[in-house]
Amino acid sequence: MTPEKLIEQAKKAMSHAYAPYSGYKVGAALLCADGTVYGGCNIENASYSPTNCAERTAFFKAVYDGHRDFQAIAIVGGKNGALTGAFPPCGVCRQVMREFCRDDFVIYMGGPGESYQSMTLAELLPCSFSASEHMN
């Protein structure tokens, strides 16, 4: 799947966001190794701590369905649903990605129009530790 098509899926997922407090709607589209795509959106909560990011929503749905091999994720977001530039994943989401993904996992951060940035997980989360390091 091309980055552009994955970003389009993330834009569709963004429309499901529940963000009454921040107004920032975020969508994600997670590409599994077998070609399956899982969408996710951010889901806010008045007490903030139970809020779940779009990226984690997509990962948790995929893991629930038995997927453990991932290739890439596209993330888009912006105030009131208007794309406002690249939306990198938060630190918690980066660590969830690291739990399931290799260093070469690609994160596409979509912006306005057709623009996007891409980075590998190793670039976004250098010097990280993973589950495989703790299991050996």
Side-chain angles (χ1 to χ4, degrees):
M1 175 172 286
T2 66
E4 293 82 7
K5 288 184 180 184
L6 198 59
I7 290 167
E8 281 304 313
Q9 292 291 321
K11 288 176 183 177
K12 289 178 185 174
M14 185 174 70
S15 69
H16 297 281
Y18 177 73
Y21 307 104
S22 72
Y24 280 92
K25 295 184 176 190
V26 183
L30 175 63
L31 177 62
C32 300
D34 69 358
T36 305
V37 175
Y38 282 87
C41 63
N42 60 318
I43 304 165
E44 294 182 348
N45 188 285
S47 67
Y48 296 109
S49 182
T51 293
N52 201 56
C53 296
E55 301 92 311
R56 283 182 281 147
T57 299
F59 267 95
F60 296 162
K61 287 169 54 178
V63 169
Y64 175 82
D65 281 348
H67 292 275
R68 301 287 191 280
D69 193 7
F70 305 104
Q71 292 183 335
I73 192 167
I75 308 161
V76 298
K79 189 76 170 178
N80 300 318
L83 298 182
T84 55
F87 242 73
C90 74
V92 174
C93 288
R94 292 175 195 200
Q95 187 57 49
V96 168
M97 291 175 192
R98 187 65 178 112
E99 183 71 19
F100 296 102
C101 304
R102 297 176 306 274
D103 284 342
D104 61 350
F105 178 77
V106 180
I107 297 98
Y108 299 108
M109 297 163 283
E114 300 296 316
S115 67
Y116 70 90
Q117 297 177 23
S118 65
M119 298 180 82
T120 65
L121 183 56
E123 292 170 320
L124 274 179
L125 191 61
C127 303
S128 67
F129 55 92
S130 69
S132 63
E133 292 168 349
H134 294 285
M135 298 171 105
N136 294 328

